Amino acid sequence: IGTGPFMVTSWTPGKIELVAAENTWRPAGVARMEIFGLPEEAARLQALLSDQVDIALGLNSDAFDQVEAAGHRMALTDAPGTRVLNFRSIPEDSPFHDKRVRQAMNFGVNLEAISENLHDGKSVRGGQVAKPGQFGHNPNIKPYTYDPDRAKALLAEAGYPEGFKAVAEIIASGAGGYTEIYQIMANDLLKIGVELELLQMTIPDLVGKLFGRAKWAGFAFDM
């Protein structure tokens, strides 16, 4: 709306160029800025280490030591959302229609291991979509514990003692290890008998599916 510190002078695929706005209530600290779209985390990291960029967003915790050794500093911010696997309208003949199956999948994923191994212990397990401090958060709802034996028992009780196959569509993103989260999740679920095939999609793909402009490949999706 024209009140920010910068004005866009060029917007092309993969790059936005901006200059400092002269008449603004919060002036910029630099005269110009370029924003590059680098989807791969490795590309963002190398661009920073080779001084091709001044700031790199969405780096994973395994890059922290390299960044600081190169003389840069890491600024950690709390992610605004919770990574979840959603289920859209489920027909009665789908395994996901049974609450016990959904509970089994929660018991079957080692959230603490994801935090420790992927995020260096800096991410927090969630038991609900709303985070502490956000509207709707209920402090009485606790995260699931990792209990693969209970997960297998629930699957057997629901009629799937040998497990089942399913498809989940996930957003292709290199920020925050999002893709790796679902890969680890799928590996954990395989141990309880749920073979979860991951298909990548972009955010525009997701929007198109949510509004009925594109077909879903399965009943589970990342959001």
Side-chain angles (χ1 to χ4, degrees), residues 61 64 76 78 115-116 118-124:
S61 59
F64 288 5
L76 296 179
D78 195 17
S115 175
E116 291 297 326
L118 188 61
H119 299 138
D120 197 28
K122 294 180 175 64
S123 58
V124 179

Side-chain angles (χ1 to χ4, degrees), residues 128-217:
Q128 55 194 298
V129 175
K131 299 173 62 176
Q134 292 180 342
F135 178 77
H137 175 77
N138 185 345
N140 297 320
I141 300 177
K142 305 302 180 183
Y144 277 80
T145 56
Y146 179 50
D147 193 339
D149 291 334
R150 187 173 179 184
K152 292 178 182 178
L154 282 167
L155 286 176
E157 187 180 320
Y160 301 96
E162 303 300 322
F164 59 90
K165 295 181 179 181
V167 174
E169 298 180 81
I170 63 171
I171 297 170
S173 172
Y178 289 159
T179 303
E180 290 85 351
I181 288 175
Y182 292 103
Q183 291 171 343
I184 296 173
M185 177 193 296
N187 187 60
D188 282 348
L189 292 175
L190 189 60
K191 297 173 184 176
I192 65 170
V194 177
E195 187 176 336
L196 191 66
E197 179 185 0
L198 301 177
L199 301 180
Q200 290 196 344
M201 62 178 173
T202 63
I203 292 179
D205 291 335
L206 173 62
V207 173
K209 294 173 188 289
L210 290 173
F211 284 93
R213 296 193 296 267
K215 292 183 178 180
W216 294 93

Side-chain angles (χ1 to χ4, degrees), residues 44-76:
R44 296 194 297 276
L45 175 60
Q46 289 305 315
L48 179 68
L49 297 179
S50 60
D51 292 327
Q52 297 180 66
V53 299
D54 300 295
I55 300 171
L57 302 179
L59 298 182
N60 294 330
S61 59
D62 55 5
F64 288 5
D65 291 343
Q66 297 181 68
V67 170
E68 292 177 347
H72 300 286
R73 64 183 179 89
M74 297 295 299
L76 296 179

Side-chain angles (χ1 to χ4, degrees), residues 3-6 20-30:
T3 63
F6 289 96
E22 295 181 1
N23 300 314
T24 179
W25 60 279
R26 48 192 179 108
V30 294

Side-chain angles (χ1 to χ4, degrees), residues 34-49:
E34 295 179 345
I35 301 175
F36 299 92
L38 300 175
E40 297 297 328
E41 191 248 352
R44 296 194 297 276
L45 175 60
Q46 289 305 315
L48 179 68
L49 297 179

